[in-house]
Every structure is written in C-alpha cells, then in structure tokens.
C-alpha cells in the first residue's frame, strides 16, 4: 500500500512538561505552569450544571465571553478574538501574516510555539540573542530585515521568568519598523507585581501594529478547557475571523472563562498565594546554592551553576520521589537549569521537604 506523500517539517515537536512517572501513582506535577489553586468555584459550578446543552455547537463568536473581557479590561469587544488556548491564536496570527520566506523574530529562549507555528507556514525563524536570559531590545532590532513580518515575545517570558520593563517595551515598539507586527504575549501578566512592569494590554490597547495575547490557562486555572484570547486592530480581528475554525471554543470553556473573570476575589487570593510561595521557595533554595530569577510569574527558573548537584541529577532525584519539574533542555536548549512551577500549599511543602532530604 502507498501512503500519499505529506509535507516534511524541520521542526522539533513541542514537548509539554511531563505529567506521569512510570510505576508511581501519586505524583506532584510542577512542570507545566498550570495554576495551583485550580479554577474559581464559580467556574466549577457553572460547568457542573447538568442542564448545559452540550449536544449543541457553541457560539462560534464567543460573544458573551468577548463582552465580559471587554468590560473587565476596558477594550472594544470587536477587537477581541477567542481561541482554543492562546496557542490557537498564535497559530492563526502565523497563518494570517506569514508566507514562505517571510521572517519572524523570536527571542532566543522564548515560548516554543511561536517558532513552531511560524515554521509550519514556511516562515524563517530568526533568533534574537538574550543577555543573561533576558530579552534584549537592541538584539531584536539588529535582526530586523525587509522580510521581517512579526516579532513575538512573552512578557514575562516562559521559561526564563525575566521581563522587559515598561520603558524597554515602549522603546522596542518605537524602534521597530511600523510595518512589523509586535505580538506581546501577556500569558503571565496577572501575577506581575513588579513596579517597573506594565502588561502589553496596559501599554498598547489601541496600537494598530501591536497584537496582545492573553490566556485563561494560568492564573484562571482553566488550562484543560483550552481558552485564550487576542486583542488587535479591528482589521486584523476581522481577517482572523475568516480563517478561524468555526466553533473553536467549547461552551464549557466560554462559560467557565466568563465566571472566572467575575471572580476577582479568587484571583486576588491566587496572586497572593503565588507571591508568598514564590518568595518562600526562592529563599529556601538559595540556602542550597540554587538561585533563580527575580520573582515574576508562577514559576522559577532554577540555576544549578553554584550547586553541588547538576540540574539533571536533581531532576532525577525529584522524579524518584514523585515530583516532576520541567527540563529546560527539551526544546529550549538551556543547560543546567530547571523550571519549577509554584504549586498548591501542600505541593510546595512536599517539594521543600523532598529537597531537604535530597540535599542535606
Ligand atoms: C508564554 C506562553 N504563551 C502561551 C501559552 C499557551 O497557553 P494556552 O494554554 O492559552 O494555549 C503558554 C503556555 O505555557 C505560555 O507559557
């Protein structure tokens, strides 16, 4: 039998943070930056409603959700598009903007899906060097050519946890050719309490040549429901709506996202929880010469340069005790570091206990 020929891609497939360990039933997963406190009780309640008509297609335009987003973030709902995760919005942006040989600039250690979706549509991915694992505005500008169509960046960035300040982000937009779309991925913006930080949404809500990405997978705890959104010029959104899959966000995802947005108290509690434990874990690990980035999002990038253990050894030892963290070698090619997601109280305490036993 013959297999009809398909296209070949020179792409390293995305490897998500592991979620299983052979032979172990009880594990603690701190590898995928999901949120420790789960979803808002309001969201949980609405998706448990037995009367929901799941046999019907959902609203393809996610009208109610877009309205709620526009109310909460004070932006026009005509400039919003919802996706099955922000992931799908990244994919649609690449489909809309890129043709073979176009160039996309991504920071060296940026979130992997930018490069993957850009390559799928045949674009050339150009990497901008980072300085000390931080995005550099001047390195991005150096890489601009006539073929550059998009610059993607996450702020703060996953997996480095570093961020561009408000001043640096404004400088980047100013120095970048106006015909280039700057995509600012605010996936972790809600966690940010750092005074010199402003989200893409805060800075560029009405800029025609900036596109903002947001997700419900992180602080809102809806990772499995797959829902995110993008905000851009109405012309971009109208064009995206032409290529968007017709029913891309499920009814459960839409309803849960709407309820999550309304539950400000839960979000406040989640932010506090994250900050308290990020500080605790950071200073705890420093006692063992494991240092990390300045606290920003719901994860820390751990550096083993000054530790007696290598990242690999530490990873294996944690794994043997049922704790999974994220290797940064897979996909990101960052050596001797690990990414640790801040978990629930009990997960964090268990992590610290295991670390004590491993390192003492
Ligand atoms: C920076 C960044 N952007 C986007 C995403 C994708 O999120 P979603 O679950 O909305 O597709 C992630 C997920 O880890 C991320 O870290």
């Amino acid at each position: 039998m013959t297999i009809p020929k398909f296209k070949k891609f020179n792409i390293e497939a995305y490897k998500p943070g592991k979620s299983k360990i052979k032979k172990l039933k009880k594990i603690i997963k701190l590898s995928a930056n999901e949120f420790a406190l789960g979803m808002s009780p309001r969201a949980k309640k609405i998706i448990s409603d037995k009367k929901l008509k799941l046999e019907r297609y959902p609203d393809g335009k996610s009208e109610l959700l877009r309205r709620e987003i526009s109310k909460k973030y004070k932006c026009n709902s005509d400039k919003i598009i919802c996706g099955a995760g922000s992931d799908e919005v990244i994919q649609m942006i690449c489909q809309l903007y890129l043709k073979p040989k176009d160039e996309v600039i991504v920071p060296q250690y940026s979130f992997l899906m930018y490069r993957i979706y850009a390559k799928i549509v045949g674009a050339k991915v150009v990497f901008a060097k980072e300085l000390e694992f931080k995005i550099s505005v001047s390195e991005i500008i150096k890489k601009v050519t006539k073929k550059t169509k998009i610059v993607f960046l996450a702020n703060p960035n996953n997996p480095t946890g570093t961020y561009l300040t408000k001043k640096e982000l404004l400088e980047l937009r100013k120095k970048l050719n106006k015909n280039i779309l700057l995509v600012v991925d605010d996936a972790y913006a809600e966690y940010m309490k750092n005074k010199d930080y402003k989200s893409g949404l805060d800075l560029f809500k009405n800029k025609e040549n900036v596109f903002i990405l947001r997700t419900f997978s992180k602080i809102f705890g809806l990772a499995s429901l797959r829902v995110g959104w993008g905000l851009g010029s109405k012309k971009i959104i109208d064009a995206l709506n032409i290529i968007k899959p017709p029913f891309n966000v499920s009814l459960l995802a839409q309803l849960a996202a709407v309820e999550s947005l309304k539950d400000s108290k839960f979000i406040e509690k989640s932010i506090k929880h994250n900050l308290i434990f990020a500080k605790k874990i950071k200073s705890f690990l420093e006692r063992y010469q494991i240092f990390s980035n300045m606290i920003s999002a719901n994860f820390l990038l751990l550096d083993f340069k000054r530790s007696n253990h290598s990242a690999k050894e530490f990873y294996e030892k944690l794994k043997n005790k049922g704790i999974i963290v994220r290797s940064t070698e897979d996909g990101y090619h960052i050596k001797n570091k690990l990414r640790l997601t801040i978990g629930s109280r009990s997960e964090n305490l268990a992590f610290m206990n295991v670390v004590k036993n491993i390192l003492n």
Side-chain angles (χ1 to χ4, degrees):
M1 285 236 271
T2 326
I3 299 176
K5 259 207 176 137
F6 48 84
K7 289 193 280 181
K8 289 244 160 75
F9 296 97
N10 180 18
I11 290 172
E12 207 178 321
Y14 183 78
K15 282 198 202 144
K18 285 196 188 346
S19 56
K20 284 183 191 145
I21 303 172
K22 260 191 214 158
K23 291 185 196 148
L24 284 187
K25 275 207 182 118
K26 231 181 115 197
I27 55 130
I28 294 179
K29 184 186 176 200
L30 301 173
S31 61
N33 296 351
E34 297 135 322
F35 195 57
L37 301 189
M39 67 176 81
S40 139
R42 287 181 66 150
K44 212 174 259 175
K45 188 166 171 219
I46 203 150
I47 60 171
S48 317
D49 184 347
K50 293 199 175 62
K51 288 192 207 115
L52 287 178
K53 293 201 157 121
L54 297 179
E55 69 279 15
R56 302 276 182 211
Y57 284 113
D59 168 15
K61 291 186 179 150
S62 303
E63 295 256 15
L64 183 61
L65 175 56
R66 286 193 295 117
R67 216 177 312 139
E68 208 54 47
I69 292 171
S70 77
K71 250 199 271 170
K72 171 107 184 170
Y73 297 102
K74 300 191 176 41
C75 48
N76 185 342
S77 70
D78 289 344
K79 295 169 70 179
I80 296 168
I81 189 157
C82 295
S86 51
D87 202 38
E88 187 183 45
V89 186
I90 300 168
Q91 181 180 29
M92 289 193 274
I93 282 286
C94 287
Q95 288 170 332
L96 184 69
Y97 269 87
L98 303 172
K99 51 184 189 326
K101 307 231 162 51
D102 281 343
E103 291 180 5
V104 170
I105 301 176
V106 301
Q108 189 176 0
Y109 303 119
S110 56
F111 180 55
L112 298 170
M113 294 317 297
Y114 313 142
R115 69 193 71 170
I116 293 178
Y117 286 130
K119 279 187 181 173
I120 290 174
V121 293
K124 179 177 169 197
V125 177
V126 178
F127 293 98
K129 259 199 221 154
E130 295 192 18
L131 303 176
E132 302 285 330
F133 295 93
K134 183 183 155 171
I135 296 171
S136 153
V137 171
S138 61
E139 290 294 331
I140 291 178
I141 299 297
K142 268 190 215 166
K143 296 291 179 185
V144 172
T145 73
K146 279 188 188 141
K147 293 183 189 160
T148 309
K149 288 284 169 3
I150 306 180
V151 172
F152 276 108
L153 59 86
N155 207 34
N157 182 45
N158 169 21
T160 56
T162 53
Y163 64 95
L164 289 181
T165 61
K166 169 187 172 185
K167 198 167 156 237
E168 288 165 327
L169 202 51
L170 288 172
E171 183 196 345
L172 173 63
R173 182 59 276 178
K174 208 169 161 195
K175 288 188 171 163
L176 209 55
N177 185 321
K178 298 210 167 19
N179 301 326
I180 297 171
L181 185 71
L182 172 63
V183 177
V184 182
D185 184 344
D186 280 350
Y188 300 93
E190 294 88 353
Y191 296 104
M192 294 295 287
K193 292 293 156 208
N194 315 44
K195 290 209 169 67
D196 54 356
Y197 171 84
K198 279 268 184 255
S199 72
L201 193 64
D202 288 333
L203 293 179
F204 301 119
K205 210 178 272 184
N206 295 312
K207 274 261 184 241
E208 300 271 284
N209 52 10
V210 181
F211 193 88
I212 312 297
L213 294 166
R214 290 261 168 156
T215 179
F216 284 94
S217 299
K218 307 300 170 187
I219 192 90
F220 295 103
L222 303 183
S224 178
L225 287 176
R226 309 305 301 128
V227 51
W229 53 284
L231 178 95
S233 134
K234 174 142 187 330
K235 279 189 182 157
I236 300 178
I237 298 296
D238 288 348
L240 288 173
N241 272 313
I242 295 172
I243 60 173
K244 181 181 85 58
F247 306 108
N248 59 336
V249 185
S250 75
L251 175 63
L252 295 180
Q254 292 185 34
L255 292 176
V258 166
E259 288 306 303
S260 302
L261 284 174
K262 290 180 187 163
D263 201 345
S264 308
K265 265 198 192 148
F266 185 76
I267 299 306
E268 279 312 310
K269 188 174 144 192
S270 305
I271 294 171
K272 263 195 205 147
H273 167 94
N274 188 65
L275 208 55
I276 289 170
F277 278 102
K279 276 186 193 160
K280 242 186 205 154
I281 294 173
K282 183 176 166 66
S283 57
F284 166 79
L285 289 171
E286 282 175 2
R287 281 186 244 147
Y288 298 97
Q289 301 297 305
I290 300 168
F291 294 88
S292 48
N293 57 291
M294 195 200 291
I295 289 164
S296 55
N298 66 336
F299 59 89
L300 293 169
L301 185 68
L302 312 183
D303 182 0
F304 290 80
K305 197 167 52 193
R306 286 159 63 185
S307 161
N308 291 334
H309 287 67
S310 71
K312 253 189 196 146
E313 280 166 356
F314 192 68
Y315 178 93
E316 287 302 324
K317 288 193 168 164
L318 285 176
K319 201 172 100 180
N320 291 339
K321 297 283 179 196
I323 296 180
I324 314 178
V325 295
R326 175 73 149 92
S327 154
T328 49
E329 293 214 12
D330 282 346
Y332 296 106
H333 305 293
I334 300 176
K335 290 218 161 71
N336 213 19
K337 292 185 196 276
L338 293 172
R339 195 191 66 194
L340 169 76
T341 303
I342 307 302
S344 66
R345 181 185 160 78
S346 62
E347 287 169 338
N348 295 331
L349 297 180
F351 168 79
M352 289 193 277
N353 237 336
V354 167
V355 172
K356 250 188 228 162
N357 288 335
I358 293 175
L359 297 181
N360 273 338

